[in-house]
Amino acid sequence: MKKLTFILLIILSIAGSRLNAQDYKNFISCKVDGKEWKAEAKRMQIPINGFEYLALAAFQVNPDVQVWITLYYFTDSLKPGTYPIISEQDIESKARKNADKQLVWVLVDYTEETKGLGHAFHDGESLSGNLIITNVTKTSIEGSFEANLTGVYYKKRAVATMTGSGLKGNLRDKLLTSAGGGMLTKGGAHDHDNSKKTDETDSIVLSGGKFLVDWTKTEK
């Protein structure tokens, strides 16, 4: 019975990847080191204290590829304009120094599955660049971005590989994602269960980025 369930998970996961070819109304698109990429995007609900925030994420399945855009701001300061993309480490210090200026800070993150079924990842951690908001309402946002990221690598922990627990978890996440709920199971682009960051680093460039996300229907 367990073997049958396992096989069904694989089949459904592969079938779910076909959804990626759709032309989405809500999307994030960009060139990843020169290669075109686009996927359906959603507004995310993640636990953050101390700021107003807007988190957007687009997720492709098989191989798993995610782009996250997270905007931190103070009340009523999210308006059309150009804003700096910075590293996660800079968010708190810059916010304290500029709290009276009503600024907006942006993180752009990336992750790509590099080995089948989630056994390894190449991630891009937010570093620098600019994001332009061309239109924003209480239930929608549109704009563009150019981002430079610090490339890091994750690999599956040996125990998870030997026991098969990591593989089962990866397949479950893929199924949820292909059904529209996979991104909701994670708190961020770099949350890789049963994995660890290695010492290998490089760089990732996201160029020609565009995004449009409208969550009006979910607010009703």
Side-chain angles (χ1 to χ4, degrees):
M1 185 64 178
K2 290 183 178 180
K3 288 184 177 180
L4 178 59
T5 301
F6 182 75
I7 293 172
L8 287 173
L9 283 171
I10 294 176
I11 293 173
L12 289 171
S13 181
I14 294 173
S17 66
R18 296 175 182 173
L19 296 174
N20 297 322
Q22 296 180 13
D23 186 15
Y24 300 110
K25 177 182 177 181
N26 292 337
F27 67 89
I28 296 175
S29 67
C30 62
K31 290 183 179 179
V32 182
D33 290 334
K35 184 179 179 180
E36 296 282 358
W37 183 85
K38 181 178 182 179
E40 182 181 19
K42 298 180 181 180
R43 181 178 67 122
M44 307 303 293
Q45 299 282 357
I46 54 179
I48 297 177
N49 295 318
F51 299 94
E52 297 288 336
Y53 79 95
L54 176 60
L56 314 172
F59 200 136
Q60 169 190 309
V61 188
N62 291 323
D64 290 359
V65 180
Q66 300 179 54
V67 173
W68 284 65
I69 299 172
T70 309
L71 301 100
Y72 297 90
Y73 56 95
F74 295 98
T75 304
D76 298 328
S77 61
L78 193 61
K79 302 174 182 178
T82 301
Y83 302 101
I85 296 170
I86 61 178
S87 69
E88 185 174 1
Q89 291 74 20
D90 287 339
I91 286 285
E92 187 174 347
S93 61
K94 288 183 179 294
R96 279 201 301 264
K97 292 178 182 178
N98 297 282
D100 59 330
K101 298 180 181 179
Q102 297 286 287
L103 297 182
V104 177
W105 301 275
V106 184
L107 298 180
V108 174
D109 293 279
Y110 174 83
T111 179
E112 176 184 1
E113 183 181 57
T114 58
K115 191 173 182 180
L117 299 175
H119 281 81
F121 297 89
H122 184 200
D123 283 16
E125 296 178 343
S126 187
L127 180 62
S128 64
N130 285 293
L131 179 139
I132 300 173
I133 298 176
T134 55
N135 185 44
V136 61
T137 71
K138 291 183 178 181
T139 58
S140 68
I141 188 168
E142 181 178 6
S144 60
F145 63 93
E146 302 279 342
N148 299 304
L149 313 178
T150 300
V152 295
Y153 290 82
Y154 289 79
K155 66 178 182 180
K156 188 66 64 179
R157 295 184 183 278
V159 173
T161 300
M162 290 186 293
T163 61
S165 60
L167 178 59
K168 293 176 183 177
N170 294 339
L171 287 171
R172 182 176 61 250
D173 289 345
K174 287 174 182 289
L175 283 172
L176 285 169
T177 300
S178 63
M183 287 184 290
L184 303 180
T185 69
K186 303 294 183 182
H190 312 304
D191 289 348
H192 304 307
D193 294 339
N194 301 308
S195 296
K196 62 179 180 180
K197 185 188 292 188
T198 70
D199 295 330
E200 185 178 0
T201 62
D202 56 16
S203 61
I204 297 174
V205 177
L206 305 184
S207 60
K210 296 181 179 180
F211 60 93
L212 171 60
V213 182
D214 187 331
W215 58 95
T216 304
K217 291 182 179 180
T218 64
E219 294 293 307
K220 292 180 179 180

